Amino acid sequence: MLENVSPLSHRAGTKIRKEVFPIINSVVGQPVSFDAARTGSYAHRLRAFWSNLFQKHQFNLVMEVVDRPPDRYVRDILQQGWKPRRVVSGDQTPHHIANVVGEPMRVLLTILATQSSRAFRAPRAGTAVRIDGITEEGV
């Protein structure tokens, strides 16, 4: 089993998608990709898996019956006194669609983005807000 960042979300640029992943695929075959948020994670983690333990169609059959628990919200994992931002931009594929505009936030951005990332600067989705509404901080 080999696991890595999915080529669908790799931010290192087109060189990774166009040069590196085709080499890996030519050696170990096509990966299956899925977002950990689909299985209940509180953060989007789009990953690729290459394996000789299953065929791609078998994996896809399993994933068809996997449903994210409907009662998971980011607010449930934040420290007391903090709340997630409002969802102002819903999720888009290739990520699992969990966050919907107007509903409470269910999934954070990736958990491995750097703190200096734009996603973690106010007022972006990677920040939480104190209940008092004054302080904002990267999650």
Side-chain angles (χ1 to χ4, degrees), residues 75-86:
R75 66 178 177 238
D76 299 330
I77 62 168
L78 294 178
Q79 292 179 357
Q80 186 174 3
W82 290 89
K83 64 181 181 179
R85 293 200 153 280
R86 290 183 316 112

Side-chain angles (χ1 to χ4, degrees), residues 14-95:
T14 57
K15 180 175 180 168
I16 297 293
R17 283 190 296 276
K18 292 185 177 185
E19 297 178 25
V20 176
F21 276 101
I23 293 169
I24 295 171
N25 292 344
S26 71
V27 174
V28 294
Q30 292 293 315
V32 293
S33 294
F34 77 97
D35 183 356
R38 182 171 181 177
T39 61
S41 172
Y42 287 100
H44 285 296
R45 295 284 295 145
L46 191 59
R47 308 303 285 177
F49 294 86
W50 293 263
S51 177
N52 61 354
L53 302 175
F54 54 80
Q55 298 294 317
K56 189 172 182 174
H57 74 277
Q58 294 169 314
F59 180 83
N60 290 336
L61 288 172
V62 170
M63 290 307 290
E64 284 178 14
V65 297
V66 172
D67 288 322
R68 178 180 175 79
D71 58 347
R72 292 201 173 191
Y73 296 96
V74 171
R75 66 178 177 238
D76 299 330
I77 62 168
L78 294 178
Q79 292 179 357
Q80 186 174 3
W82 290 89
K83 64 181 181 179
R85 293 200 153 280
R86 290 183 316 112
V87 176
V88 294
S89 178
D91 295 329
Q92 297 180 4
T93 58
H95 291 99

